[in-house]
């Protein structure tokens, strides 16, 4: 259809008449201008050079930080190991290698490498978090001693959260560390997961765990609100199906059993 004819059909007037009417309407609008604080004092900008390891590892590091992604045939682990060679003592290389080993390789080696990273970055958020994550993974691998591993993770994750209160992964792992005992069904853990959801409302797995915990405590209204966006979650069939099953229990007023849902990683698939 001719665009002008289509416009007239949709709006009941020509494009020119519509424009005149729109401009007339806009002339009557008022607004308030609020000056930005940065107008008076521009923010300080710092420029720093990336370490030499960045040339070889920055893309690997970015990919690893996205989470527990299955790189499939890309063979990420040997590539990171090769790229890290020659960059001994470089924090970026160490961190990338630790993440790769934790996710896809030798988790015990990752633990020993963390000692070196923490010496280089003693108060660094990511170094502290990775130490806690190493204990979480050790607990996942060792069911018989899971509670002890998870308990060891807590102080590291708490320190990571203190270093960066907006770093939600530390909150989620901290909550997971309580998932082996009755302390999981507590207001404290509930608040931790709700805060993580506020910081990252788009992450379906966090919403699922927050809803599970709230339902365990009998707060079905909050659980329903948390679950509503993930019962049709497009990014993970497993999360979507789990959310629907949990929603059925919540709608029936049934408290679910203790469970903490974790992501799948290539090493475990």
């Amino acid at each position: 259809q001719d665009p002008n004819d289509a416009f007239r059909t949709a709006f009941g007037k020509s494009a020119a008449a519509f424009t005149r009417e729109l401009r007339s309407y806009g002339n009557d609008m008022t607004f308030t201008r609020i000056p930005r604080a940065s107008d008076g004092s521009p923010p300080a900008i710092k420029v720093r050079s990336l370490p030499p390891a960045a040339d070889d590892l920055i893309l690997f590091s970015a990919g690893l930080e996205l989470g527990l992604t299955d790189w499939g045939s890309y063979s990420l682990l040997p590539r990171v190991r090769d790229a890290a060679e020659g960059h001994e003592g470089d924090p970026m290389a160490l961190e990338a290698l630790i993440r790769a080993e934790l996710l896809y390789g030798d988790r015990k080696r990752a633990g020993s490498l963390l000692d070196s990273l923490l010496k280089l970055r003693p108060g660094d958020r990511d170094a502290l978090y990775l130490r806690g994550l190493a204990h979480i993974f050790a607990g996942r691998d060792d069911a018989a001693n899971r509670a002890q591993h998870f308990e060891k993770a807590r102080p590291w994750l708490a320190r990571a959260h203190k270093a960066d209160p907006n770093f939600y992964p530390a909150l989620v792992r901290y909550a997971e560390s309580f998932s082996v005992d009755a302390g999981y069904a507590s207001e404290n853990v509930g608040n931790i997961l709700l805060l993580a959801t506020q910081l990252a409302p788009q992450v379906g797995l966090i919403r699922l765990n927050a809803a599970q915990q709230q339902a365990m405590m009998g707060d079905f209204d909050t659980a329903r609100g948390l679950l509503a966006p993930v019962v049709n979650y497009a990014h993970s069939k497993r999360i979507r199906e789990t959310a629907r099953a949990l929603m059925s229990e919540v709608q029936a007023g049934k408290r679910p059993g203790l469970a903490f849902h974790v992501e799948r990683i290539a090493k475990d698939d």
Side-chain angles (χ1 to χ4, degrees):
Q1 190 176 2
D2 179 79
N4 292 318
D5 292 341
F7 193 96
R8 188 181 296 277
T9 300
F11 293 98
K13 62 190 71 178
S14 69
F18 182 90
T19 301
R20 287 194 298 270
E21 199 170 312
L22 183 62
R23 287 175 176 168
S24 175
Y25 176 79
N27 288 336
D28 294 330
M29 299 174 87
T30 61
F31 66 92
T32 301
R33 187 187 301 275
I34 301 176
R36 297 193 308 272
S38 59
D39 283 348
S41 55
I45 298 175
K46 294 182 180 180
V47 178
R48 62 184 177 89
S49 299
L50 289 170
D55 287 341
D56 297 323
L57 285 153
I58 193 167
L59 292 180
F60 293 141
S61 296
L64 287 164
E65 285 189 40
L66 288 175
L68 308 182
T69 307
D70 183 0
W71 289 67
S73 60
Y74 193 65
S75 303
L76 180 69
L77 180 61
R79 288 172 180 259
V80 174
R81 286 173 173 169
D82 290 344
E85 286 188 10
H87 296 292
E88 289 78 7
D90 187 305
M92 175 179 278
L94 264 176
E95 184 178 329
L97 186 56
I98 288 165
R99 289 182 186 274
E101 295 289 1
L102 275 177
L103 301 182
Y104 308 113
D106 185 342
R107 290 178 176 170
K108 289 184 178 179
R109 184 191 181 200
S112 64
L113 291 170
L114 274 163
D115 293 334
S116 300
L117 183 61
L118 283 163
K119 287 179 181 178
L120 294 169
R121 295 178 173 174
D124 180 70
R125 179 201 75 181
D126 292 306
L128 295 167
Y129 170 71
L130 289 171
R131 170 60 83 189
L133 187 62
H135 287 301
I136 291 291
F137 280 1
R140 292 186 190 178
D141 293 339
D142 182 10
N145 299 296
R146 184 167 295 160
Q148 294 93 315
H149 290 298
F150 281 8
E151 186 175 357
K152 290 178 181 178
R154 289 171 197 160
W156 296 102
L157 297 169
R159 288 174 63 187
H161 171 63
K162 186 176 181 180
D164 182 357
N166 292 323
F167 186 56
Y168 65 86
L171 292 171
V172 178
R173 300 302 172 209
Y174 189 80
E176 183 181 351
S177 74
F178 287 95
S179 63
V180 290
D181 55 47
Y184 184 67
S186 68
E187 185 177 353
N188 178 49
V189 176
N191 288 336
I192 290 169
L193 285 171
L194 289 175
L195 176 57
T197 304
Q198 290 172 8
L199 292 171
Q202 78 283 4
V203 181
L205 193 66
I206 297 177
R207 300 186 72 91
L208 179 61
N209 280 307
Q212 177 92 21
Q213 201 275 347
Q214 292 297 315
M216 286 175 59
M217 297 181 65
D219 188 347
F220 300 117
D221 287 341
T222 299
R224 273 192 293 270
L226 290 164
L227 283 172
V230 287
V231 291
N232 293 308
Y233 196 63
H235 306 291
S236 168
K237 179 181 178 182
R238 183 174 66 90
I239 291 176
R240 181 171 65 249
E241 292 180 347
T242 305
R244 289 178 178 178
L246 180 58
M247 181 67 92
S248 296
E249 292 184 299
V250 168
Q251 297 282 35
K254 179 182 177 182
R255 297 193 186 200
L258 194 157
F260 191 91
H261 306 283
V262 300
E263 65 286 333
R264 297 175 65 187
I265 60 177
K267 183 175 183 293
D268 297 331
D269 286 347

